[in-house]
Amino acid sequence: MVVNEKSLKRMKRRVTADLQDILTFPSGDGLPGGPFQSNVRAFLRRHALPLPPSSLSPHLMTWQILFRAGDFTEGPDAVPAVVGLDLVEEEVARSRSVYCDHCRVVGWSGNPVCAKRFHFIVKGDGFSIGGNVKPCTRCGHEVHLSEPRCKLCSHLMTAEDVEDWVFSQLEDTRHLLHGVIHGNGYGHLLRVNGREGGSRVLSGFQIMDFWDRLCRYLGVRKISVMDVSKKFGLEYRLLNAIVSGHPWYGDWGYEFGIGSFGLTLGAYRASVDTLSKMPLSMFTCEGRRPRTRVMDLILVYQSLSEHELLNLRDLFAFMMSSIHGTPKVSMAGDGTNKKPKSSSSGILCAWTKGDIKRVEDAMFRVLRAVSGSNWVSWRTLRGAVCKVGSPELLDYCLMNLAGKQAANELFVQIRCNPDSGALEYRLKAGDASSLGNLSSSSSSSSLNCPPREKMIADLRFLYESLLNPQTMMTFVPEAMRDAATKLLDCKQFVKDYKLETSLADANPSTTLLFCQLELLDCSEGYSTNPPPPELVVLPPNAAISDLKAEASKAFQEVYISYKGFQVEEVLGYGAVDESTPIRFLMKSLDTVCVRGRWKGKNGLGRFRMERGLERWTVDCRCGATDDDGERMLACDVCGVWQHTRCVGIPDFDVVPARFVCSLCREGPKSGAAHCRDEGAMSADIAARGRGGGGKSLVKLCI
């Protein structure tokens, strides 16, 4: 059958039109109110298509959902863009990564290991993570997973090769989105890559909006994110904290979770306040000589703003809004037709009237030398007078050249080139009022700023000079350097989706109860820390006995180590008959405390906590008492862990082969209280000697 090319295009458009829009999905009717694990099952049945089980590995099942990306099109044929979401269900007990490092550094290390993890992935290359081919480890030729050897080089593909490839697919840093959620509803946002990260279709904001809607739809409990995002090559958690008072993820409700080096929420807020309110007059004081580029740039942007810029927050907020409000063009791009405020006293602190007149006269000479009515670009004009003044002075004069009289009733006219968007200049006879509105077709916001690339370069320079503690100007107060360091040390942020609130409108015919567990014994070395409360859904006629059975089932299904666990008692209702309907005793969304124990040994003690089997003590001088993801080392005498930075070892220096903490150096008496038991210390030393998992001699940031 011959298919006409135009018909094929129409068919593709019809197929794409049937897909849901990732910019609004999920919307409409939600899932039945319940725990995350049951919600995600219903979600898969309703929206996803399973991929062949053999396409990955026996303990990894993959589903896929295809979306259209709004009205965005790709290619010369303007075919609607399609985005795929892969959902990978990981059986944790058979995984090579049983324990979750992300839980460990965000304060959830005491939670039991869940039986399932669910990965939500949008790949950057547009293909599914569940492909049937992998590259040969020797020659790179594509090999089908069912084939034992590479056809090109005859290399034998081992099970380890396949497993390495499978997990490399999950850990690929090029994913546009990668979030992982444990069966108990606690999860981690691992990766968001927008335009700067290689996304052709979706921006970072659109990806985050989709992720946030999806989490709310699925009924997740809490999501953490380690904020190491960058914007224009700068640490965005520091820059956005100055501009907005919170990290970029804070726009979606992510708040301070846990700070590295013992930092608290109060220290984070105080650091934001210290930096953002630092007055600009400290850097532009007329008595500060010699003039610096920082002074010149601040004065230029103060002259551009319609509002007074008084502190660092005002300055960086204005620059960020100007960058996002101007079209992305070449260096010769946007300019300004809008004059700054009439007052120029601030600028004259940096340049005299004679300096400004000298540069303007040089620009007038260049424009008069151009024949006819030809336009001169920003870049060309700036380059022609580059030796007349400083770069900042040239930019200031270019931004205020429109409408100025050159000679003999010739005035400077400007426009934005309709093809390139570049700002262009020429001289034309007339008057200033008639020439000042020739660029009215361009937005005032885009004409009130230098080119976007110029502003980004200025932003980078000011960031390095005023915010980066490693490159900050030498004369700034030590409080600024300390505040900036603290903000960079706060990477872990958490969003609590407040499941109780989202379930308020759940099905009234069911009873939803949060079961808080109290353990009666801790056989096989089980932790005394109970897991988070588990949500159970009960029919309207359920009795106390049904509650106990459903609570037992819920904990058994969610956590590996809870196989064989049984709830024996509902605290506060011990004297109530087991056949009593619960609707007479409690209402929906109540929290009830249940008590239970394991029936015999199940041999699953190694899954009791996300932190693993290790026993360690963190007691650092900064106040940290647990793993926070920063580089640490252990004392070779007492085995207690401390940050390398806190004991005077810079982050990029090699860790010494032997380290003894200050308490142990002072003598055995002072170090005795600091020391752990001999068995735990021996286990740590053995782990270090093996180079095994968990906490090693040098703990690198995740």
Side-chain angles (χ1 to χ4, degrees), residues 289-337:
R289 290 293 185 267
R291 287 204 310 253
T292 64
R293 186 185 174 194
V294 169
M295 177 192 297
D296 290 348
L297 282 176
I298 292 175
L299 292 173
V300 166
Y301 284 97
Q302 283 179 323
S303 72
L304 287 176
S305 175
E306 295 179 354
H307 306 283
E308 200 170 7
L309 306 183
L310 298 176
N311 51 43
L312 287 181
R313 170 167 291 174
D314 295 340
L315 174 64
F316 284 101
F318 173 70
M319 295 183 73
M320 291 294 291
S321 63
S322 299
I323 290 171
H324 291 305
T326 54
K328 188 174 182 180
V329 296
S330 65
M331 188 65 185
D334 297 331
T336 177
N337 187 29

Side-chain angles (χ1 to χ4, degrees), residues 24 57 110 114 144 169 174 208 238 283 383 395 398 403 415 417 451 519 571 655 670:
T24 58
S57 186
C114 292
H144 197 280
Q169 296 295 292
R174 295 169 296 177
M208 276 300 301
L238 172 56
F283 313 103
D395 292 335
L398 283 167
R415 72 166 186 177
N417 186 292
L519 303 175
L571 294 185
V655 176
S670 60

Side-chain angles (χ1 to χ4, degrees), residues 156-400:
L156 180 63
M157 311 301 290
T158 65
E160 186 177 354
D161 289 337
V162 174
E163 187 178 23
D164 288 342
W165 175 79
V166 166
F167 281 94
S168 71
Q169 296 295 292
L170 293 179
E171 298 164 2
D172 194 334
T173 58
R174 295 169 296 177
H175 294 325
L176 303 187
L177 169 69
H178 185 188
V180 59
I181 305 177
H182 301 283
N184 61 1
Y186 285 69
H188 316 282
L189 177 56
L190 305 183
R191 192 158 289 107
V192 172
N193 281 319
R195 304 285 189 196
E196 291 189 20
S199 174
R200 303 188 310 273
V201 178
L202 300 175
S203 68
F205 280 95
Q206 291 168 335
I207 295 172
M208 276 300 301
D209 281 343
F210 168 70
W211 170 252
D212 193 55
R213 290 193 304 270
L214 185 62
C215 289
R216 196 177 301 279
Y217 187 76
L218 294 175
V220 304
R221 311 278 292 272
K222 293 182 180 181
I223 298 291
S224 77
V225 61
M226 175 180 276
D227 187 359
V228 291
S229 57
K230 291 183 180 292
K231 189 76 171 178
F232 313 127
L234 309 176
E235 296 288 354
Y236 206 28
R237 67 181 178 281
L238 172 56
L239 184 59
N240 208 78
I242 302 304
V243 172
S244 306
H246 56 70
W248 180 69
Y249 297 99
D251 290 344
W252 292 270
Y254 287 79
E255 299 176 342
F256 178 89
I258 187 171
S260 300
F261 302 101
L263 294 176
T264 62
L265 175 60
Y268 178 81
R269 289 175 173 170
S271 298
V272 171
D273 199 56
T274 297
L275 269 183
S276 60
K277 293 184 178 179
M278 194 62 63
L280 295 178
S281 58
M282 175 185 302
F283 313 103
T284 59
C285 177
E286 188 173 357
R288 188 176 296 282
R289 290 293 185 267
R291 287 204 310 253
T292 64
R293 186 185 174 194
V294 169
M295 177 192 297
D296 290 348
L297 282 176
I298 292 175
L299 292 173
V300 166
Y301 284 97
Q302 283 179 323
S303 72
L304 287 176
S305 175
E306 295 179 354
H307 306 283
E308 200 170 7
L309 306 183
L310 298 176
N311 51 43
L312 287 181
R313 170 167 291 174
D314 295 340
L315 174 64
F316 284 101
F318 173 70
M319 295 183 73
M320 291 294 291
S321 63
S322 299
I323 290 171
H324 291 305
T326 54
K328 188 174 182 180
V329 296
S330 65
M331 188 65 185
D334 297 331
T336 177
N337 187 29
K338 183 177 181 181
K339 291 186 178 180
K341 298 171 292 189
S342 59
S343 173
S344 61
S345 59
I347 288 295
L348 293 181
C349 292
W351 309 298
T352 65
K353 290 182 179 180
D355 294 333
I356 296 174
K357 187 176 186 306
R358 185 179 71 255
V359 173
E360 288 179 346
D361 288 343
M363 292 179 178
F364 294 153
R365 288 195 296 272
V366 173
L367 293 176
R368 284 198 299 268
V370 177
S371 61
S373 58
N374 292 331
W375 292 91
V376 181
S377 70
W378 168 294
R379 175 176 289 174
T380 302
L381 184 56
R382 190 177 188 274
V385 298
C386 63
K387 295 183 179 180
V388 181
S390 67
E392 290 72 30
L393 177 56
L394 298 180
D395 292 335
Y396 172 76
C397 292
L398 283 167
M399 287 183 270
N400 293 277

Side-chain angles (χ1 to χ4, degrees), residues 77 97 146 162 253 331 349 400 417 461 497 512 543 585 654 691-692 702:
D77 297 331
S97 302
S146 62
V162 174
M331 188 65 185
C349 292
N400 293 277
N417 186 292
F461 178 79
Y497 278 86
L512 306 177
L585 306 173
V654 177
I702 309 173

Side-chain angles (χ1 to χ4, degrees), residues 109-123:
S109 63
N111 288 354
V113 177
C114 292
K116 301 287 186 181
R117 291 191 199 118
F118 297 88
H119 298 260
F120 297 82
I121 296 173
V122 176
K123 289 198 71 179

